[in-house]
């Protein structure tokens, strides 16, 4: 059995949700967000972004918009798309708000009252 080393739970979306990533000083890029936790998120994109690149992530969870800075910490290629892992640099207030919304989202998802 594999050990879960994550500090916070991760919400996995059955269908990717839309988000945006902006490299510092560049225009926003639409991406498909696969999952999100308080510490980071995974997304796919056809655009090649270097490891260690600082980015600003924007996405909505239950009609609440989030804008969080992060760094590309993982990268792998699948067919014509690149899968990325972002580590968030997040303040306590935003972290608490994101945790609350992810928790509500996951409860609704499990009850079947919220479709992705």
């Amino acid at each position: 059995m594999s050990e879960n080393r994550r500090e916070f739970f991760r919400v996995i979306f059955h269908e990717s949700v839309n988000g945006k990533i902006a490299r510092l000083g560049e225009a926003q890029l639409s991406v498909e967000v696969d999952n999100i936790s308080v510490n980071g998120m995974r997304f796919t994109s056809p655009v090649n972004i270097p490891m260690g690149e600082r980015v600003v992530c924007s996405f909505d969870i239950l009609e609440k918009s989030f804008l969080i800075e992060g760094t590309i910490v993982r990268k792998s290629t699948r067919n014509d798309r690149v899968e990325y892992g972002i580590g968030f640099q997040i303040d306590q207030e935003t972290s608490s708000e994101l945790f609350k919304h992810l928790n509500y989202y996951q409860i609704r998802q499990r009850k079947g009252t919220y479709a992705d």
Side-chain angles (χ1 to χ4, degrees):
M1 179 185 277
S2 67
E3 179 183 329
N4 183 358
R5 298 176 298 166
R6 298 192 190 283
E7 183 178 353
F8 294 102
F9 71 95
R10 181 169 294 272
V11 173
I12 299 170
F13 303 107
H14 297 301
E15 295 179 17
S16 297
V17 297
N18 294 323
K20 294 189 188 289
I21 301 296
R23 295 165 72 177
L24 299 180
E26 294 188 17
Q28 287 188 331
L29 167 71
S30 292
V31 298
E32 298 172 4
V33 179
D34 300 317
N35 65 54
I36 298 175
S37 80
V38 173
N39 287 336
M41 70 182 218
R42 183 176 74 196
F43 72 94
T44 55
S45 173
V47 176
N48 188 9
I49 303 171
M51 284 287 294
E53 183 87 17
R54 292 186 52 97
V55 295
V56 177
C57 309
S58 63
F59 52 88
D60 294 338
I61 301 290
L62 298 177
E63 300 177 15
K64 167 75 174 159
S65 296
F66 290 91
L67 186 65
I68 303 172
E69 289 188 25
T71 303
I72 303 291
V73 295
R74 190 180 57 75
K75 177 179 174 181
S76 63
T77 303
R78 290 189 178 180
N79 301 325
D80 62 341
R81 302 196 61 79
V82 183
E83 184 178 275
Y84 295 95
I86 293 184
F88 289 151
Q89 282 84 51
I90 190 169
D91 61 69
Q92 184 60 47
E93 182 179 341
T94 305
S95 174
S96 296
E97 193 71 16
L98 180 57
F99 182 86
K100 179 175 77 173
H101 279 77
L102 288 173
N103 191 41
Y104 290 157
Y105 183 95
Q106 191 167 47
I107 289 167
R108 288 182 179 183
Q109 191 178 51
R110 285 183 180 160
K111 288 182 175 181
T113 58
Y114 188 77
D116 293 337

